[in-house]
Amino acid sequence: MVSQNRRYLPGLVAYRRTVAALGQLAILTSEFYIPYKSVKFLEDLPHPLIQDMAIHLFDAARAISGADPLSVYCESFRPAASWYTGACSATAIFEMTGGLRYVFSGSWSAPGLQTSWTGSWRAIGARGTAVWDGGSVIGAEGVTPVELEPDPHQARDRFPGLAWALEEFVGALRTGRPPQGEGHDNLASLAMVTSALESALRGERIKCPLYGAT
């Protein structure tokens, strides 16, 4: 099991349930903009946003939509005013199963009006549209937003969602029930990262290995 802790956040759980009511999805977007300067090793990566952070947004997109990646076109670049030496910003368009298009846009060097660490989201489906600020605010037209459930771990959980992931891991060991983040399924999220990076390096659309789809 890989601990994809964002899958357990009350906001993501409620948003996923809200999105499920939209019917067949056409478009899912996420934006991630954080002016991050705290970790030295990121400055040495050639594509720090894709190599380090994007996995969390990409896996969240799979969790929210229930879809898996088929192909991607990605551009990774360095803004002129960036404090990174590598390409710390990126935009990617994924073709997903079911006809969905997932669009990611983000930057590690975006000063001002930063998003949450879970990004900001919009989903457009057959019955309406739902948005999420990555925290506690979900809005929708065409369907009723699902309310967030209280998180009993919030007061003691340094890394939000981690306690839930540990509980599910222990439960999987005891029952044999496959957990979220099960290793084979998680390969599809990892494939989004490696395929996006390959696309950025080659400047062309790349097919994604289809690990997670049934």
PDB file of all heavy atoms in Angstrom, residues 164-196:
ATOM      1  N   TRP A 164      -5.862   8.202   8.828  1.00  0.00           N
ATOM      2  CA  TRP A 164      -6.848   7.397   8.107  1.00  0.00           C
ATOM      3  C   TRP A 164      -6.152   6.344   7.253  1.00  0.00           C
ATOM      4  O   TRP A 164      -6.600   5.185   7.173  1.00  0.00           O
ATOM      5  CB  TRP A 164      -7.703   8.290   7.210  1.00  0.00           C
ATOM      6  CG  TRP A 164      -8.717   9.118   7.920  1.00  0.00           C
ATOM      7  CD1 TRP A 164      -8.708  10.474   8.076  1.00  0.00           C
ATOM      8  CD2 TRP A 164      -9.900   8.656   8.572  1.00  0.00           C
ATOM      9  NE1 TRP A 164      -9.806  10.891   8.778  1.00  0.00           N
ATOM     10  CE2 TRP A 164     -10.563   9.791   9.096  1.00  0.00           C
ATOM     11  CE3 TRP A 164     -10.458   7.401   8.771  1.00  0.00           C
ATOM     12  CZ2 TRP A 164     -11.763   9.696   9.798  1.00  0.00           C
ATOM     13  CZ3 TRP A 164     -11.665   7.309   9.473  1.00  0.00           C
ATOM     14  CH2 TRP A 164     -12.297   8.444   9.976  1.00  0.00           C
ATOM     15  N   ALA A 165      -5.073   6.719   6.587  1.00  0.00           N
ATOM     16  CA  ALA A 165      -4.343   5.773   5.740  1.00  0.00           C
ATOM     17  C   ALA A 165      -3.775   4.620   6.570  1.00  0.00           C
ATOM     18  O   ALA A 165      -3.826   3.455   6.157  1.00  0.00           O
ATOM     19  CB  ALA A 165      -3.229   6.490   4.991  1.00  0.00           C
ATOM     20  N   LEU A 166      -3.245   4.943   7.749  1.00  0.00           N
ATOM     21  CA  LEU A 166      -2.717   3.903   8.621  1.00  0.00           C
ATOM     22  C   LEU A 166      -3.828   2.959   9.090  1.00  0.00           C
ATOM     23  O   LEU A 166      -3.634   1.737   9.168  1.00  0.00           O
ATOM     24  CB  LEU A 166      -2.007   4.531   9.818  1.00  0.00           C
ATOM     25  CG  LEU A 166      -0.695   5.250   9.502  1.00  0.00           C
ATOM     26  CD1 LEU A 166      -0.196   6.008  10.735  1.00  0.00           C
ATOM     27  CD2 LEU A 166       0.366   4.268   9.021  1.00  0.00           C
ATOM     28  N   GLU A 167      -4.989   3.523   9.394  1.00  0.00           N
ATOM     29  CA  GLU A 167      -6.120   2.689   9.795  1.00  0.00           C
ATOM     30  C   GLU A 167      -6.528   1.742   8.673  1.00  0.00           C
ATOM     31  O   GLU A 167      -6.810   0.559   8.906  1.00  0.00           O
ATOM     32  CB  GLU A 167      -7.307   3.566  10.203  1.00  0.00           C
ATOM     33  CG  GLU A 167      -7.196   4.171  11.574  1.00  0.00           C
ATOM     34  CD  GLU A 167      -8.481   4.835  12.010  1.00  0.00           C
ATOM     35  OE1 GLU A 167      -9.523   4.655  11.330  1.00  0.00           O
ATOM     36  OE2 GLU A 167      -8.471   5.532  13.049  1.00  0.00           O
ATOM     37  N   GLU A 168      -6.566   2.263   7.465  1.00  0.00           N
ATOM     38  CA  GLU A 168      -6.960   1.412   6.344  1.00  0.00           C
ATOM     39  C   GLU A 168      -5.904   0.340   6.079  1.00  0.00           C
ATOM     40  O   GLU A 168      -6.234  -0.795   5.729  1.00  0.00           O
ATOM     41  CB  GLU A 168      -7.193   2.244   5.080  1.00  0.00           C
ATOM     42  CG  GLU A 168      -7.673   1.400   3.913  1.00  0.00           C
ATOM     43  CD  GLU A 168      -8.474   2.176   2.894  1.00  0.00           C
ATOM     44  OE1 GLU A 168      -8.693   3.392   3.074  1.00  0.00           O
ATOM     45  OE2 GLU A 168      -8.891   1.568   1.900  1.00  0.00           O
ATOM     46  N   PHE A 169      -4.643   0.682   6.237  1.00  0.00           N
ATOM     47  CA  PHE A 169      -3.564  -0.296   6.067  1.00  0.00           C
ATOM     48  C   PHE A 169      -3.708  -1.446   7.063  1.00  0.00           C
ATOM     49  O   PHE A 169      -3.639  -2.629   6.697  1.00  0.00           O
ATOM     50  CB  PHE A 169      -2.213   0.396   6.235  1.00  0.00           C
ATOM     51  CG  PHE A 169      -1.031  -0.527   6.221  1.00  0.00           C
ATOM     52  CD1 PHE A 169      -0.733  -1.272   5.088  1.00  0.00           C
ATOM     53  CD2 PHE A 169      -0.220  -0.660   7.337  1.00  0.00           C
ATOM     54  CE1 PHE A 169       0.366  -2.126   5.062  1.00  0.00           C
ATOM     55  CE2 PHE A 169       0.870  -1.516   7.323  1.00  0.00           C
ATOM     56  CZ  PHE A 169       1.159  -2.254   6.186  1.00  0.00           C
ATOM     57  N   VAL A 170      -3.932  -1.105   8.325  1.00  0.00           N
ATOM     58  CA  VAL A 170      -4.101  -2.144   9.351  1.00  0.00           C
ATOM     59  C   VAL A 170      -5.350  -2.966   9.050  1.00  0.00           C
ATOM     60  O   VAL A 170      -5.345  -4.207   9.170  1.00  0.00           O
ATOM     61  CB  VAL A 170      -4.182  -1.504  10.754  1.00  0.00           C
ATOM     62  CG1 VAL A 170      -4.540  -2.561  11.798  1.00  0.00           C
ATOM     63  CG2 VAL A 170      -2.864  -0.835  11.109  1.00  0.00           C
ATOM     64  N   GLY A 171      -6.424  -2.293   8.638  1.00  0.00           N
ATOM     65  CA  GLY A 171      -7.647  -3.021   8.294  1.00  0.00           C
ATOM     66  C   GLY A 171      -7.441  -3.983   7.136  1.00  0.00           C
ATOM     67  O   GLY A 171      -7.991  -5.091   7.120  1.00  0.00           O
ATOM     68  N   ALA A 172      -6.636  -3.568   6.158  1.00  0.00           N
ATOM     69  CA  ALA A 172      -6.358  -4.439   5.014  1.00  0.00           C
ATOM     70  C   ALA A 172      -5.571  -5.668   5.447  1.00  0.00           C
ATOM     71  O   ALA A 172      -5.811  -6.787   4.974  1.00  0.00           O
ATOM     72  CB  ALA A 172      -5.593  -3.660   3.945  1.00  0.00           C
ATOM     73  N   LEU A 173      -4.617  -5.469   6.360  1.00  0.00           N
ATOM     74  CA  LEU A 173      -3.846  -6.601   6.864  1.00  0.00           C
ATOM     75  C   LEU A 173      -4.731  -7.601   7.598  1.00  0.00           C
ATOM     76  O   LEU A 173      -4.558  -8.815   7.499  1.00  0.00           O
ATOM     77  CB  LEU A 173      -2.738  -6.113   7.794  1.00  0.00           C
ATOM     78  CG  LEU A 173      -1.576  -5.333   7.162  1.00  0.00           C
ATOM     79  CD1 LEU A 173      -0.631  -4.847   8.249  1.00  0.00           C
ATOM     80  CD2 LEU A 173      -0.831  -6.186   6.159  1.00  0.00           C
ATOM     81  N   ARG A 174      -5.698  -7.081   8.336  1.00  0.00           N
ATOM     82  CA  ARG A 174      -6.541  -7.949   9.168  1.00  0.00           C
ATOM     83  C   ARG A 174      -7.638  -8.640   8.361  1.00  0.00           C
ATOM     84  O   ARG A 174      -8.042  -9.756   8.702  1.00  0.00           O
ATOM     85  CB  ARG A 174      -7.160  -7.126  10.295  1.00  0.00           C
ATOM     86  CG  ARG A 174      -6.144  -6.674  11.344  1.00  0.00           C
ATOM     87  CD  ARG A 174      -6.765  -5.741  12.371  1.00  0.00           C
ATOM     88  NE  ARG A 174      -5.817  -5.436  13.444  1.00  0.00           N
ATOM     89  CZ  ARG A 174      -6.047  -4.521  14.392  1.00  0.00           C
ATOM     90  NH1 ARG A 174      -7.179  -3.828  14.394  1.00  0.00           N
ATOM     91  NH2 ARG A 174      -5.141  -4.306  15.335  1.00  0.00           N
ATOM     92  N   THR A 175      -8.125  -7.984   7.308  1.00  0.00           N
ATOM     93  CA  THR A 175      -9.279  -8.518   6.579  1.00  0.00           C
ATOM     94  C   THR A 175      -8.938  -9.040   5.190  1.00  0.00           C
ATOM     95  O   THR A 175      -9.724  -9.795   4.609  1.00  0.00           O
ATOM     96  CB  THR A 175     -10.360  -7.434   6.424  1.00  0.00           C
ATOM     97  OG1 THR A 175      -9.859  -6.374   5.579  1.00  0.00           O
ATOM     98  CG2 THR A 175     -10.754  -6.853   7.782  1.00  0.00           C
ATOM     99  N   GLY A 176      -7.803  -8.606   4.633  1.00  0.00           N
ATOM    100  CA  GLY A 176      -7.473  -8.975   3.265  1.00  0.00           C
ATOM    101  C   GLY A 176      -8.151  -8.098   2.227  1.00  0.00           C
ATOM    102  O   GLY A 176      -7.999  -8.321   1.025  1.00  0.00           O
ATOM    103  N   ARG A 177      -8.908  -7.095   2.668  1.00  0.00           N
ATOM    104  CA  ARG A 177      -9.584  -6.180   1.755  1.00  0.00           C
ATOM    105  C   ARG A 177      -8.575  -5.219   1.141  1.00  0.00           C
ATOM    106  O   ARG A 177      -7.806  -4.583   1.858  1.00  0.00           O
ATOM    107  CB  ARG A 177     -10.657  -5.393   2.512  1.00  0.00           C
ATOM    108  CG  ARG A 177     -11.453  -4.419   1.642  1.00  0.00           C
ATOM    109  CD  ARG A 177     -12.453  -3.629   2.484  1.00  0.00           C
ATOM    110  NE  ARG A 177     -11.779  -2.783   3.474  1.00  0.00           N
ATOM    111  CZ  ARG A 177     -11.811  -3.007   4.774  1.00  0.00           C
ATOM    112  NH1 ARG A 177     -12.437  -4.066   5.252  1.00  0.00           N
ATOM    113  NH2 ARG A 177     -11.178  -2.186   5.614  1.00  0.00           N
ATOM    114  N   PRO A 178      -8.535  -5.077  -0.197  1.00  0.00           N
ATOM    115  CA  PRO A 178      -7.571  -4.160  -0.821  1.00  0.00           C
ATOM    116  C   PRO A 178      -7.808  -2.720  -0.367  1.00  0.00           C
ATOM    117  O   PRO A 178      -8.945  -2.232  -0.413  1.00  0.00           O
ATOM    118  CB  PRO A 178      -7.853  -4.311  -2.326  1.00  0.00           C
ATOM    119  CG  PRO A 178      -8.491  -5.657  -2.457  1.00  0.00           C
ATOM    120  CD  PRO A 178      -9.315  -5.824  -1.210  1.00  0.00           C
ATOM    121  N   PRO A 179      -6.780  -2.029   0.077  1.00  0.00           N
ATOM    122  CA  PRO A 179      -6.929  -0.651   0.527  1.00  0.00           C
ATOM    123  C   PRO A 179      -6.818   0.337  -0.639  1.00  0.00           C
ATOM    124  O   PRO A 179      -6.352  -0.016  -1.723  1.00  0.00           O
ATOM    125  CB  PRO A 179      -5.750  -0.472   1.473  1.00  0.00           C
ATOM    126  CG  PRO A 179      -4.681  -1.334   0.846  1.00  0.00           C
ATOM    127  CD  PRO A 179      -5.402  -2.516   0.246  1.00  0.00           C
ATOM    128  N   GLN A 180      -7.220   1.569  -0.396  1.00  0.00           N
ATOM    129  CA  GLN A 180      -6.885   2.635  -1.330  1.00  0.00           C
ATOM    130  C   GLN A 180      -5.362   2.776  -1.347  1.00  0.00           C
ATOM    131  O   GLN A 180      -4.710   2.658  -0.312  1.00  0.00           O
ATOM    132  CB  GLN A 180      -7.520   3.961  -0.906  1.00  0.00           C
ATOM    133  CG  GLN A 180      -9.027   4.004  -0.999  1.00  0.00           C
ATOM    134  CD  GLN A 180      -9.531   5.438  -0.867  1.00  0.00           C
ATOM    135  OE1 GLN A 180      -9.459   6.224  -1.806  1.00  0.00           O
ATOM    136  NE2 GLN A 180     -10.048   5.759   0.303  1.00  0.00           N
ATOM    137  N   GLY A 181      -4.819   3.042  -2.518  1.00  0.00           N
ATOM    138  CA  GLY A 181      -3.373   3.131  -2.618  1.00  0.00           C
ATOM    139  C   GLY A 181      -2.699   1.786  -2.724  1.00  0.00           C
ATOM    140  O   GLY A 181      -1.472   1.693  -2.598  1.00  0.00           O
ATOM    141  N   GLU A 182      -3.495   0.729  -2.945  1.00  0.00           N
ATOM    142  CA  GLU A 182      -2.916  -0.602  -3.147  1.00  0.00           C
ATOM    143  C   GLU A 182      -1.870  -0.516  -4.250  1.00  0.00           C
ATOM    144  O   GLU A 182      -2.042   0.183  -5.241  1.00  0.00           O
ATOM    145  CB  GLU A 182      -4.032  -1.585  -3.517  1.00  0.00           C
ATOM    146  CG  GLU A 182      -3.622  -3.025  -3.609  1.00  0.00           C
ATOM    147  CD  GLU A 182      -3.086  -3.404  -4.984  1.00  0.00           C
ATOM    148  OE1 GLU A 182      -3.465  -2.736  -5.966  1.00  0.00           O
ATOM    149  OE2 GLU A 182      -2.292  -4.350  -5.071  1.00  0.00           O
ATOM    150  N   GLY A 183      -0.751  -1.199  -4.053  1.00  0.00           N
ATOM    151  CA  GLY A 183       0.432  -0.977  -4.884  1.00  0.00           C
ATOM    152  C   GLY A 183       0.195  -1.062  -6.372  1.00  0.00           C
ATOM    153  O   GLY A 183       0.658  -0.207  -7.134  1.00  0.00           O
ATOM    154  N   HIS A 184      -0.532  -2.088  -6.835  1.00  0.00           N
ATOM    155  CA  HIS A 184      -0.749  -2.241  -8.266  1.00  0.00           C
ATOM    156  C   HIS A 184      -1.589  -1.093  -8.822  1.00  0.00           C
ATOM    157  O   HIS A 184      -1.293  -0.538  -9.882  1.00  0.00           O
ATOM    158  CB  HIS A 184      -1.429  -3.578  -8.572  1.00  0.00           C
ATOM    159  CG  HIS A 184      -0.595  -4.766  -8.216  1.00  0.00           C
ATOM    160  ND1 HIS A 184      -0.609  -5.330  -6.951  1.00  0.00           N
ATOM    161  CD2 HIS A 184       0.304  -5.479  -8.942  1.00  0.00           C
ATOM    162  CE1 HIS A 184       0.224  -6.351  -6.928  1.00  0.00           C
ATOM    163  NE2 HIS A 184       0.803  -6.462  -8.106  1.00  0.00           N
ATOM    164  N   ASP A 185      -2.643  -0.709  -8.086  1.00  0.00           N
ATOM    165  CA  ASP A 185      -3.495   0.387  -8.547  1.00  0.00           C
ATOM    166  C   ASP A 185      -2.728   1.707  -8.545  1.00  0.00           C
ATOM    167  O   ASP A 185      -2.909   2.541  -9.435  1.00  0.00           O
ATOM    168  CB  ASP A 185      -4.731   0.496  -7.657  1.00  0.00           C
ATOM    169  CG  ASP A 185      -5.655   1.622  -8.096  1.00  0.00           C
ATOM    170  OD1 ASP A 185      -6.358   1.457  -9.114  1.00  0.00           O
ATOM    171  OD2 ASP A 185      -5.652   2.683  -7.438  1.00  0.00           O
ATOM    172  N   ASN A 186      -1.858   1.898  -7.559  1.00  0.00           N
ATOM    173  CA  ASN A 186      -1.103   3.148  -7.464  1.00  0.00           C
ATOM    174  C   ASN A 186      -0.160   3.351  -8.650  1.00  0.00           C
ATOM    175  O   ASN A 186       0.250   4.479  -8.939  1.00  0.00           O
ATOM    176  CB  ASN A 186      -0.308   3.179  -6.166  1.00  0.00           C
ATOM    177  CG  ASN A 186       0.335   4.522  -5.910  1.00  0.00           C
ATOM    178  OD1 ASN A 186      -0.335   5.497  -5.592  1.00  0.00           O
ATOM    179  ND2 ASN A 186       1.641   4.589  -6.059  1.00  0.00           N
ATOM    180  N   LEU A 187       0.171   2.274  -9.362  1.00  0.00           N
ATOM    181  CA  LEU A 187       1.030   2.408 -10.536  1.00  0.00           C
ATOM    182  C   LEU A 187       0.409   3.344 -11.580  1.00  0.00           C
ATOM    183  O   LEU A 187       1.132   4.012 -12.317  1.00  0.00           O
ATOM    184  CB  LEU A 187       1.301   1.039 -11.161  1.00  0.00           C
ATOM    185  CG  LEU A 187       2.234   0.110 -10.385  1.00  0.00           C
ATOM    186  CD1 LEU A 187       2.287  -1.263 -11.044  1.00  0.00           C
ATOM    187  CD2 LEU A 187       3.631   0.705 -10.287  1.00  0.00           C
ATOM    188  N   ALA A 188      -0.917   3.387 -11.647  1.00  0.00           N
ATOM    189  CA  ALA A 188      -1.568   4.270 -12.618  1.00  0.00           C
ATOM    190  C   ALA A 188      -1.317   5.738 -12.282  1.00  0.00           C
ATOM    191  O   ALA A 188      -1.151   6.576 -13.172  1.00  0.00           O
ATOM    192  CB  ALA A 188      -3.067   3.987 -12.680  1.00  0.00           C
ATOM    193  N   SER A 189      -1.288   6.074 -10.990  1.00  0.00           N
ATOM    194  CA  SER A 189      -0.967   7.448 -10.584  1.00  0.00           C
ATOM    195  C   SER A 189       0.493   7.763 -10.869  1.00  0.00           C
ATOM    196  O   SER A 189       0.835   8.852 -11.351  1.00  0.00           O
ATOM    197  CB  SER A 189      -1.268   7.644  -9.093  1.00  0.00           C
ATOM    198  OG  SER A 189      -2.639   7.466  -8.825  1.00  0.00           O
ATOM    199  N   LEU A 190       1.365   6.809 -10.575  1.00  0.00           N
ATOM    200  CA  LEU A 190       2.783   6.999 -10.874  1.00  0.00           C
ATOM    201  C   LEU A 190       3.014   7.129 -12.373  1.00  0.00           C
ATOM    202  O   LEU A 190       3.860   7.925 -12.813  1.00  0.00           O
ATOM    203  CB  LEU A 190       3.585   5.829 -10.317  1.00  0.00           C
ATOM    204  CG  LEU A 190       5.109   5.916 -10.437  1.00  0.00           C
ATOM    205  CD1 LEU A 190       5.639   7.138  -9.708  1.00  0.00           C
ATOM    206  CD2 LEU A 190       5.751   4.647  -9.893  1.00  0.00           C
ATOM    207  N   ALA A 191       2.239   6.384 -13.168  1.00  0.00           N
ATOM    208  CA  ALA A 191       2.376   6.465 -14.623  1.00  0.00           C
ATOM    209  C   ALA A 191       2.009   7.849 -15.141  1.00  0.00           C
ATOM    210  O   ALA A 191       2.553   8.303 -16.158  1.00  0.00           O
ATOM    211  CB  ALA A 191       1.495   5.404 -15.296  1.00  0.00           C
ATOM    212  N   MET A 192       1.092   8.537 -14.461  1.00  0.00           N
ATOM    213  CA  MET A 192       0.758   9.899 -14.865  1.00  0.00           C
ATOM    214  C   MET A 192       1.966  10.806 -14.717  1.00  0.00           C
ATOM    215  O   MET A 192       2.213  11.687 -15.554  1.00  0.00           O
ATOM    216  CB  MET A 192      -0.429  10.420 -14.044  1.00  0.00           C
ATOM    217  CG  MET A 192      -1.723   9.668 -14.317  1.00  0.00           C
ATOM    218  SD  MET A 192      -3.103  10.216 -13.278  1.00  0.00           S
ATOM    219  CE  MET A 192      -3.544  11.772 -14.078  1.00  0.00           C
ATOM    220  N   VAL A 193       2.741  10.597 -13.649  1.00  0.00           N
ATOM    221  CA  VAL A 193       3.941  11.401 -13.421  1.00  0.00           C
ATOM    222  C   VAL A 193       5.001  11.106 -14.477  1.00  0.00           C
ATOM    223  O   VAL A 193       5.542  12.011 -15.119  1.00  0.00           O
ATOM    224  CB  VAL A 193       4.506  11.143 -12.014  1.00  0.00           C
ATOM    225  CG1 VAL A 193       5.833  11.886 -11.830  1.00  0.00           C
ATOM    226  CG2 VAL A 193       3.514  11.557 -10.951  1.00  0.00           C
ATOM    227  N   THR A 194       5.322   9.824 -14.645  1.00  0.00           N
ATOM    228  CA  THR A 194       6.400   9.468 -15.568  1.00  0.00           C
ATOM    229  C   THR A 194       6.035   9.813 -17.010  1.00  0.00           C
ATOM    230  O   THR A 194       6.891  10.239 -17.788  1.00  0.00           O
ATOM    231  CB  THR A 194       6.740   7.976 -15.447  1.00  0.00           C
ATOM    232  OG1 THR A 194       5.565   7.189 -15.699  1.00  0.00           O
ATOM    233  CG2 THR A 194       7.264   7.664 -14.053  1.00  0.00           C
ATOM    234  N   SER A 195       4.771   9.651 -17.375  1.00  0.00           N
ATOM    235  CA  SER A 195       4.345   9.970 -18.742  1.00  0.00           C
ATOM    236  C   SER A 195       4.332  11.474 -18.980  1.00  0.00           C
ATOM    237  O   SER A 195       4.694  11.939 -20.060  1.00  0.00           O
ATOM    238  CB  SER A 195       2.964   9.372 -19.017  1.00  0.00           C
ATOM    239  OG  SER A 195       2.984   7.966 -18.912  1.00  0.00           O
ATOM    240  N   ALA A 196       3.905  12.248 -17.970  1.00  0.00           N
ATOM    241  CA  ALA A 196       3.940  13.707 -18.097  1.00  0.00           C
ATOM    242  C   ALA A 196       5.367  14.199 -18.257  1.00  0.00           C
ATOM    243  O   ALA A 196       5.655  15.090 -19.073  1.00  0.00           O
ATOM    244  CB  ALA A 196       3.279  14.360 -16.890  1.00  0.00           C
TER     245      ALA A 196
END
